[in-house]
Amino acid sequence: MQEAIKTDLSATPEAALLARRHRLLGKAAPLFYDTPLHIVRAEGVWIYDAHGRAYLDAYNNVPVVGHCHPRVVNAIASQAARLNVHSRYLHETVLDYVERLTATFDGSLDMAVLTCTGSEANDVALQLARQHSGGRGILCTNLTYHGNTTAVSALSTLFSGGRSRSPEVRAVTFPDCYRPLNGLSGETLIDAHLDEIREAIASLKDEGAGFAGMLACPIFANEGLPTVPVGYWPRVAQLVREAGGLLIFDEVQAGFGRTGNMWGQQLAGVVPDIVTLGKPMGNGHPVAGVVARGALIEAFRDEVMYFNTFGANPVSCAAALAVLDVIAEEGLPGNARATGQHLADGMRALQARHPLIGDVRGQGLFFAIELVTDREAKTPAGQIAKRVVNDMKERGVLISRVGQFDNILKIRPPLPFSTSHADQLLSTFDACLTALGE
Amino acid sequence: MQEAIKTDLSATPEAALLARRHRLLGKAAPLFYDTPLHIVRAEGVWIYDAHGRAYLDAYNNVPVVGHCHPRVVNAIASQAARLNVHSRYLHETVLDYVERLTATFDGSLDMAVLTCTGSEANDVALQLARQHSGGRGILCTNLTYHGNTTAVSALSTLFSGGRSRSPEVRAVTFPDCYRPLNGLSGETLIDAHLDEIREAIASLKDEGAGFAGMLACPIFANEGLPTVPVGYWPRVAQLVREAGGLLIFDEVQAGFGRTGNMWGQQLAGVVPDIVTLGKPMGNGHPVAGVVARGALIEAFRDEVMYFNTFGANPVSCAAALAVLDVIAEEGLPGNARATGQHLADGMRALQARHPLIGDVRGQGLFFAIELVTDREAKTPAGQIAKRVVNDMKERGVLISRVGQFDNILKIRPPLPFSTSHADQLLSTFDACLTALGE
C-alpha cells in the first residue's frame, strides 16, 4: 500500500488512462508500481494486462481460491439471478453459511455478524469489545493497519508514525525474533513485550479511557510476518483478559487457509473472544464478518440496532459458501503447506547465494523476505526492495513489500499456487537479485 | 427497522428456520413482520415466499431497477468471470463508471471515492468534512439514521431518543409542514429551524468540537419524508457554509431516480459539497460511494492513506454501470413521476374516505402515509400502523413504517412499479383500512 507514487508516465501507452484516473479518483488514489499495470482479466494465479501479457500473481490473497474461480462465479451469478435482498426476511443461505463458517472455529465462537468489508468487521468488533467491557481503550501494534473507518483507522499506526492520534488507542511493539527488542529472546523477550502491554493498559485506565481489549492479526501480517517466540499469544491473552479486556484477532489476512491452517489463531495457540474476517471470504465479492462468542453478539444486538443492508445478503453468502467448498474440496490449506514448504526451501537456497536476503519467514503460502544490505547489522534495504518489486513485475511476477523500513518482500499468492509456480517465482527472484549485483 | 420482534412462532412452518437464525445470528438480529417472511426468490416488483406465494414489493428501494434485473445480473456474472480485483492496478470499468456517475451531478461534484456500503460512504464524508474544516462537530437531525460505523452511528438519533451520545454531534429538528414547530409556517418556520441550527453550531464551537458540517438526507427519508417549506435548504446551505462547514447530502435513499429526479438534491434546490450514495447503486450488489468537489477528495487522499479493498472493484462498477444504463433506458425517473402521481391521486381518494389517513406525502415513488386516530389533534396511530403493515403483508403487499411515532407508512417500491401495481397496492390498502373499521 506504500506505493502511491506519481511517476511521469506521459510517454507510456497508459498515459491517457492515468490522466482519466487522476481526474476522476484523485492523483493520490493508491496505485502499485512505478509504471502502473493496466489489467483486463485474470484466471487462477494469472493476471493479464491490456497488451496480452500474463503475470504470475504472487501478491493477491483476496482471490484465495484463484482469480475468477468458476465455482464462485457460478454461485454469484445464479444467486444474483434468484434473490438478492437484505436479511430482514428469512432466507436460508445466510444460515447455511454461518453454520458452516462457525463450525471451522473453536466451539465457543458460535455466532456471527456479517458485514461487507473487513473495515466494517473491525469496527463492529470494537463496538462489541467496548460494549462488553464498558471501557473505550484499545491496544494495537505500532506498525499495523486494520481498516479505514474513522474508529478503525485510529488503529492504523502504519501510516501515522507508529502512534495513534486517538486517546482511546495505545500502540505497542510486537515480538520479532529477527529484530528482537534489546537483543532479548524467548521468555525474556515475551516478558519485555508483556510489560509494555501492561503499561499501556495501565495508561489507558489512568487516563480515563478504560480498557476494552486488544485487536491484532495473529500472524502480524502488516507488521511483516515476524517470527514470534513460542508462548507469546497465550500469555498476551491471559494478560488482556485479566485486565478486563477481550482479545480480538483480525483474520482478514491470516484466515481461510492462507497459513496452511484454516485460521491464523491455530498458529497462535489461543482462542480469541472475537474474530474478524474479510478479504478472501468471498474471493473478491464484498463480504466480511465478525465471529464471536454468542453472548457478546446477543448483548450487542440487544443494545444497538445494528443492521447492514448488504451484509448477509444471499449473493454474498452464496459466494462465501462456494469459497468454503473450494477450500475444502481442492485441499487448499494442504497445498499451502506443501507449496509453502517448497517455496521456503527454495528461498533458503537463494538466501545461501544472495547476501541481500537477510531473513526468510513463511507460514503456508504467506512469505516475508527481509532484504538487508548488511546481514550482521541487518541494515534494511528499502530502496532495493522497491527496485525488486518493480523489476519482478517487469519480469512477469507480482509481489509487494511491507514493514517499517519497506524492506520486506510480501509474497501471498492465491492458494492454488503450485510448485511449478513457486519455481517460476524463485527463478525470477534469483534473476532479479543477480541483475542487482551486476 | 423498528420491527425487531420476537414472536412465538413455534407453531409456524418457519419455526425451525427461526430457531437456527436465533442460534447463528442472535435473537435480536432485525427481522420484519410479526410472522417473518421466508423468501426464496424475487423478480421485478415481486418477492416469492417458500410456499410459492407472490408478494408485491412496495418497500424495497435497493432493487431500484427491479429485483434480479437480467441486465445487472449479466453485468455481474460476466465481469466476475473476467476480472475482480482491487483498484491499485489500472482498469477501465471504475473510470467508465465514475465518469458516468459524476456527469449526473452539478459540474462542481466531479470526483469520487468508491466504497462498499452507505455507512462507509458516510464515514468517509465525515472524514472529508472534518479534514477540510479542521473541526469535528457535525449536525444531523433528531430522527435520523445514516449507518452503522462507530462514527456514523453517533448520528443515528432515531435509535437514541433524538440525541447523540457523542459530544461531536448535535441533533436538530427538521421542518415538517404537517406537524410544524410551534404551529409556524413558511419563512417563520424556516427562521425557527435556522435559529436552532445556529445555536447548535455555536454550542459545538463553544464546547471545543468546532464545526465540520451538516449531514442530512435532502428529502428527510428516515424522518418520515416531511413536507419542507420552500426555501429551507438554500438557507441552511448558506448558514452552514458561512459557519465554515460543509453540506453533506446523504442520497442513499433519495438518489437514483427515486423521487422522479435523479437526485434528491434537485428537489432541495441546492448543490451540496459532498454527496453520499449507497443502497440502490448496484441494485443489491455491495457498492456505494462519495461524490464531492475534487479539491476535497484530493486533500483527503493527500493526507489519509484511504484504500478500500473491495471498493471500486470491476464487478461492483459493472453492476453500478448497468444500473445507470437501465435507469436511463427504461426511463425510470419518468415512471417514478407518472406512477407516483397515479399513486398520490389514489391515496388522496382513499384519504377522503378513511379518516385514519392524516397526511399523504410523496416524491416520485417514495410515499409517507401518516396514520392518525384524530385528524384535528393529529394523534399518531402507531399501533394501527403496525397492524396495517402486518395485514398488508398477509394480503400480499410489502410496506413498512417509520417516524418518531412509528405511525407513518413507508412506501418505496422498485422503480418499474406500474399503475396496475399501484392499483393493487391501493385496493389492498383500502381493504386493510376497511377491515380495521369492522
Side-chain angles (χ1 to χ4, degrees):
Chain A
M1 306 228 286
Q2 67 286 3
E3 302 180 53
I5 40 152
K6 289 162 246 176
T7 311
D8 177 16
L9 297 166
S10 54
T12 76
E14 273 68 48
L17 201 57
L18 197 64
R20 272 182 86 200
R21 184 177 157 112
H22 286 174
R23 175 168 59 81
L24 294 163
L25 305 184
K27 290 189 187 69
L31 203 53
F32 279 155
Y33 304 117
D34 287 347
T35 308
L37 201 55
H38 176 193
I39 62 175
V40 294
R41 70 183 179 92
E43 189 180 349
V45 299
W46 299 96
I47 295 182
Y48 299 87
D49 75 6
H51 312 288
R53 180 166 182 198
Y55 293 82
L56 180 65
D57 185 359
Y59 170 74
N60 286 297
N61 64 329
V62 173
V64 62
V65 300
H67 287 276
C68 304
H69 194 292
R71 181 77 168 263
V72 182
V73 172
N74 290 341
I76 291 169
S78 63
Q79 186 63 55
R82 188 167 172 78
L83 181 71
N84 184 12
V85 77
H86 59 82
S87 62
R88 288 172 301 192
Y89 309 110
L90 293 174
H91 61 77
E92 300 191 57
T93 321
V94 59
L95 305 180
D96 293 344
Y97 180 64
V98 174
E99 203 153 59
R100 284 275 301 280
L101 178 69
T102 51
T104 67
F105 287 98
D106 179 89
S108 64
L109 301 167
D110 58 355
M111 207 177 269
V113 177
L114 296 189
T115 65
C116 298
T117 69
S119 293
E120 287 190 333
N122 281 324
D123 201 297
V124 168
L126 294 181
Q127 295 180 53
L128 285 172
R130 284 169 168 161
Q131 192 209 16
H132 175 77
S133 65
R136 303 278 313 162
I138 298 283
L139 295 189
C140 61
T141 80
N142 65 335
L143 272 174
T144 198
Y145 174 78
H146 293 287
N148 56 39
T149 68
T150 300
V152 177
S153 65
L155 277 63
S156 295
T157 53
L158 191 59
F159 304 113
S160 59
R163 294 176 62 86
S164 171
R165 49 177 171 66
S166 165
E168 297 177 344
V169 175
R170 291 289 181 284
V172 296
T173 60
F174 50 90
D176 177 350
C177 293
Y178 182 66
R179 297 180 187 276
L181 198 67
N182 302 326
L184 299 170
S185 65
E187 284 297 320
T188 55
L189 180 59
I190 297 179
D191 288 341
H193 286 287
L194 260 70
D195 285 346
E196 196 186 335
I197 291 175
R198 205 173 284 113
E199 282 165 28
I201 293 171
S203 135
L204 284 167
K205 289 182 173 177
D206 289 349
E207 290 172 32
F211 180 54
M214 180 168 179
L215 195 164
C217 168
I219 60 169
F220 292 128
N222 287 318
E223 291 83 344
L225 210 66
T227 303
V228 170
V230 175
Y232 168 77
W233 276 119
R235 288 189 59 196
V236 170
Q238 189 183 356
L239 175 54
V240 164
R241 285 164 178 158
E242 283 174 1
L246 297 179
L247 182 63
I248 306 165
F249 270 164
D250 176 337
E251 293 261 13
V252 167
Q253 288 194 67
F256 292 100
R258 169 64 43 195
T259 66
N261 306 278
M262 189 64 181
W263 305 111
Q265 61 201 257
Q266 294 167 259
L267 290 167
V270 295
V271 176
D273 302 291
I274 301 171
V275 183
T276 60
L277 307 171
K279 295 190 195 294
M281 191 164 169
N283 211 47
H285 190 88
V287 56
V290 178
V291 174
R293 290 193 277 113
L296 293 172
I297 291 178
E298 291 276 25
F300 171 67
R301 287 208 176 276
D302 279 342
E303 189 171 302
V304 178
M305 215 315 296
Y306 186 86
F307 176 68
N308 190 311
T309 299
F310 303 134
N313 79 60
V315 179
S316 297
C317 294
L321 262 172
V323 168
L324 289 186
D325 285 342
V326 177
I327 287 175
E329 289 168 21
E330 298 188 4
L332 295 179
N335 186 65
R337 283 194 299 276
T339 306
Q341 187 58 55
H342 181 81
L343 194 49
D345 293 343
M347 282 292 176
R348 294 205 169 93
L350 290 181
Q351 187 180 21
R353 291 196 288 110
H354 294 286
L356 196 66
I357 302 179
D359 197 30
V360 172
R361 304 187 289 268
Q363 301 283 9
L365 272 170
F366 200 156
F367 281 83
I369 310 295
E370 189 142 353
L371 301 190
V372 294
T373 52
D374 181 323
R375 278 198 185 170
E376 283 298 307
K378 301 179 180 174
T379 316
Q383 280 308 306
I384 295 176
K386 184 181 180 195
R387 280 177 59 192
V388 169
V389 167
N390 279 287
D391 191 29
M392 290 286 283
K393 187 266 268 180
E394 295 305 323
R395 292 168 189 265
V397 179
L398 307 181
I399 63 170
S400 186
R401 62 193 178 121
V402 72
Q404 62 180 318
F405 310 112
D406 275 342
N407 70 316
I408 304 170
L409 302 180
K410 184 176 186 176
I411 297 172
R412 198 187 47 175
L415 294 187
F417 207 70
S418 68
T419 51
S420 70
H421 299 132
D423 288 339
Q424 180 181 343
L425 168 64
L426 289 164
S427 63
T428 307
F429 187 37
D430 191 11
C432 258
L433 295 180
T434 303
L436 278 173
E438 282 164 3
Chain B
M1 306 228 286
Q2 68 286 1
E3 302 182 52
I5 40 151
K6 290 161 249 174
T7 310
D8 176 17
L9 297 166
S10 55
T12 76
E14 273 68 47
L17 201 56
L18 197 63
R20 272 181 85 200
R21 183 176 158 112
H22 286 174
R23 175 168 59 82
L24 295 163
L25 306 183
K27 289 189 188 68
L31 203 53
F32 279 155
Y33 304 117
D34 286 348
T35 308
L37 201 54
H38 176 194
I39 61 175
V40 294
R41 70 182 179 92
E43 189 179 350
V45 298
W46 299 96
I47 294 183
Y48 298 86
D49 75 7
H51 312 287
R53 182 170 180 194
Y55 294 82
L56 180 66
D57 185 358
Y59 171 72
N60 286 297
N61 64 328
V62 172
V64 62
V65 300
H67 288 277
C68 304
H69 194 291
R71 181 78 168 261
V72 181
V73 172
N74 290 341
I76 291 169
S78 63
Q79 186 62 55
R82 188 168 171 77
L83 180 73
N84 183 12
V85 78
H86 59 80
S87 62
R88 288 172 301 191
Y89 309 110
L90 293 173
H91 61 76
E92 300 192 56
T93 321
V94 59
L95 304 180
D96 293 345
Y97 180 64
V98 175
E99 203 154 59
R100 284 274 301 280
L101 178 69
T102 51
T104 66
F105 287 98
D106 179 89
S108 64
L109 301 167
D110 58 355
M111 206 176 271
V113 176
L114 296 189
T115 66
C116 298
T117 69
S119 294
E120 286 190 334
N122 280 325
D123 201 297
V124 168
L126 294 181
Q127 294 181 52
L128 285 172
R130 285 170 168 162
Q131 192 209 16
H132 175 77
S133 65
R136 303 278 313 161
I138 299 284
L139 295 189
C140 61
T141 81
N142 66 335
L143 273 174
T144 196
Y145 175 78
H146 293 287
N148 56 38
T149 70
T150 300
V152 176
S153 65
L155 277 63
S156 296
T157 53
L158 190 57
F159 304 113
S160 59
R163 295 176 61 86
S164 172
R165 50 176 170 67
S166 166
E168 296 178 342
V169 175
R170 290 291 182 283
V172 296
T173 60
F174 50 89
D176 177 349
C177 293
Y178 182 66
R179 297 179 187 276
L181 199 67
N182 302 325
L184 298 169
S185 65
E187 285 296 320
T188 54
L189 180 59
I190 297 178
D191 288 341
H193 287 286
L194 260 70
D195 284 344
E196 196 186 336
I197 291 175
R198 205 173 282 115
E199 282 164 29
I201 294 171
S203 136
L204 285 167
K205 289 182 173 177
D206 289 348
E207 291 172 30
F211 180 54
M214 179 168 180
L215 195 163
C217 168
I219 61 170
F220 292 127
N222 286 318
E223 291 83 343
L225 211 66
T227 303
V228 170
V230 175
Y232 168 77
W233 276 119
R235 288 189 58 196
V236 170
Q238 188 183 357
L239 174 54
V240 164
R241 285 165 177 157
E242 283 174 359
L246 297 178
L247 182 63
I248 306 165
F249 270 164
D250 177 337
E251 293 260 13
V252 166
Q253 288 194 69
F256 292 100
R258 169 65 43 196
T259 66
N261 307 278
M262 189 62 181
W263 305 113
Q265 60 200 258
Q266 294 167 260
L267 289 167
V270 294
V271 176
D273 302 291
I274 301 172
V275 184
T276 60
L277 307 171
K279 295 190 195 295
M281 191 163 166
N283 211 46
H285 190 88
V287 56
V290 177
V291 174
R293 291 193 276 113
L296 293 172
I297 290 179
E298 291 275 24
F300 172 66
R301 287 209 176 275
D302 280 341
E303 189 172 301
V304 178
M305 215 315 296
Y306 185 86
F307 176 68
N308 190 311
T309 299
F310 304 134
N313 79 60
V315 179
S316 297
C317 294
L321 262 171
V323 169
L324 289 185
D325 284 342
V326 177
I327 287 175
E329 289 168 23
E330 296 187 5
L332 294 179
N335 185 66
R337 284 193 299 275
T339 306
Q341 187 58 55
H342 181 82
L343 194 50
D345 293 344
M347 282 292 176
R348 295 207 169 93
L350 289 181
Q351 187 180 23
R353 292 195 289 110
H354 295 285
L356 195 65
I357 302 179
D359 197 29
V360 171
R361 304 188 288 269
Q363 301 283 9
L365 271 170
F366 200 155
F367 281 83
I369 310 296
E370 190 140 354
L371 301 189
V372 294
T373 52
D374 182 323
R375 277 197 184 170
E376 282 298 308
K378 302 179 181 176
T379 316
Q383 280 307 306
I384 294 175
K386 184 181 180 199
R387 281 177 59 192
V388 168
V389 168
N390 278 287
D391 190 31
M392 290 286 283
K393 187 267 268 179
E394 296 305 324
R395 293 169 189 263
V397 179
L398 306 181
I399 63 170
S400 186
R401 63 194 176 118
V402 73
Q404 64 180 315
F405 310 112
D406 276 342
N407 70 316
I408 303 171
L409 302 180
K410 185 175 186 176
I411 296 172
R412 197 187 50 173
L415 294 187
F417 208 71
S418 69
T419 51
S420 71
H421 300 132
D423 288 341
Q424 180 181 343
L425 168 63
L426 289 164
S427 64
T428 307
F429 187 38
D430 191 12
C432 258
L433 295 180
T434 303
L436 277 172
E438 280 163 4

